[in-house]
Amino acid sequence: MFKYSSRFWLYAPITLFVILATAVMAYWWLAAGAFEKKLAALKGRQGIPGITLDWNTVKVGGFPFRLDADFTNFSIKGAGAHGPFAWTSEKFALHGLTYGRSQKVYEAAGRQQLSWTGADGSNHAASFLPGSMRGSSITDAKGLRRFDLDIVDMGGQDFTIGRLQFHMRRDPDGSDLDLMLKADALQTHTVSAEKLQLYTTLNRTESLMTLLRGETPWPQATANWRAQGGQAKLSQVLAPGVSPDALLSPLY
């Protein structure tokens, strides 16, 4: 009896570990397979209404607890609030856990190409190299709850920025969206600012919730928002030499 009990306490933990490890491996392979199928279905197609995703190559990894996707020449194109926009990154990576809350972490490197339409309908473009470029998003049953972007040492032909941050947060009750833009050591041909900071709150955002859930195209959602009396309220504005309305208004 003593020998049987000793063997049980010796082999039981090992057996349990093997079972758990096998379950984790099986779950990851199933999740990775589903993830690869989802990426294949998204390539060159609309991820949400009006927004198309594409890339040259992608490699999936992250075993055993993460799902990672490393892209080359990743692009997002479509209709923004006021007209077409496009962003292309030489290297782009997406990271997410296979368990826990729905949070994604993003990284971009190499040459970044960005074009967008301003609130006045004018076209803009920028090409830059970042020292580092990271972002994250958190979603829940109501859609996108939070998005954060942090770029360090951002340099283009016509500008340099020591650090650029953008944050979007959906209020818990869903009635407002809080936006924050911050830039340190901004240098352009016409503007030189050690610090630029802007906070904006969008009210009456019920019609924007369909955009955050990926159900309504961006132009339609913002048009509905304005038609229902939605407004942007600026607060804590520090924007020397720059029009505050020109900084975030391309989003809405």
Side-chain angles (χ1 to χ4, degrees):
M1 183 68 179
F2 176 76
K3 291 183 178 180
Y4 176 80
S5 177
S6 298
R7 289 176 180 175
F8 174 82
W9 291 112
L10 174 63
Y11 293 115
I14 298 175
T15 303
L16 180 60
F17 174 79
V18 171
I19 293 173
L20 290 176
T22 302
V24 168
M25 287 189 291
Y27 178 77
W28 187 89
W29 284 111
L30 289 173
F35 184 48
E36 288 179 324
K37 290 181 180 179
K38 185 176 181 179
L39 290 177
L42 284 174
K43 179 173 169 54
R45 298 180 176 88
Q46 293 188 9
I48 63 174
I51 306 296
T52 300
L53 309 178
D54 206 353
W55 53 86
N56 284 0
T57 63
V58 61
K59 181 179 179 181
V60 174
F63 179 84
F65 301 116
R66 300 195 320 266
L67 283 175
D68 300 335
D70 293 312
F71 302 87
T72 59
N73 293 321
F74 181 84
S75 68
I76 302 177
K77 300 178 181 179
H82 308 287
F85 81 97
W87 169 57
T88 301
S89 175
E90 283 186 332
K91 296 179 180 180
F92 179 75
L94 179 153
H95 311 284
L97 294 174
T98 56
Y99 61 91
R101 67 178 180 176
S102 183
Q103 181 175 12
K104 300 292 186 295
V105 176
Y106 314 94
E107 296 180 280
R111 178 67 59 180
Q112 310 296 309
Q113 306 280 350
L114 178 65
S115 63
W116 71 98
T117 306
D120 59 356
S122 59
N123 296 322
H124 303 269
S127 176
F128 63 92
L129 280 168
S132 67
M133 184 172 176
R134 297 184 175 90
S136 66
S137 64
I138 299 175
T139 58
D140 57 21
K142 295 181 180 180
L144 183 63
R145 180 161 64 91
R146 185 180 179 105
F147 177 79
D148 302 280
L149 177 65
D150 191 349
I151 308 175
V152 178
D153 293 334
M154 179 178 177
Q157 183 177 357
D158 302 320
F159 69 93
T160 60
I161 303 176
R163 185 178 185 185
L164 177 69
Q165 298 178 68
F166 171 75
H167 305 280
M168 187 217 78
R169 182 181 68 93
R170 191 187 75 221
D171 286 351
D173 61 4
S175 61
D176 295 333
L177 278 179
D178 298 323
L179 308 178
M180 189 274 270
L181 180 70
K182 182 180 179 182
D184 297 330
L186 169 65
Q187 295 286 337
T188 70
H189 292 316
T190 58
V191 177
S192 177
E194 186 61 31
K195 179 173 290 188
L196 182 151
Q197 190 164 296
L198 173 67
Y199 288 85
T200 299
T201 297
L202 309 184
N203 65 3
R204 300 192 177 187
T205 56
E206 294 85 357
S207 56
L208 294 179
M209 293 303 105
T210 57
L211 173 63
L212 299 184
R213 290 196 300 268
E215 299 172 353
T216 305
W218 193 349
Q220 180 182 337
T222 53
N224 293 342
W225 171 69
R226 291 188 180 280
Q228 294 174 15
Q231 295 180 336
K233 181 181 179 182
L234 295 171
S235 62
Q236 301 185 41
V237 178
L238 176 63
V242 181
S243 169
D245 289 334
L247 295 174
L248 287 173
S249 59
L251 298 176
Y252 49 79

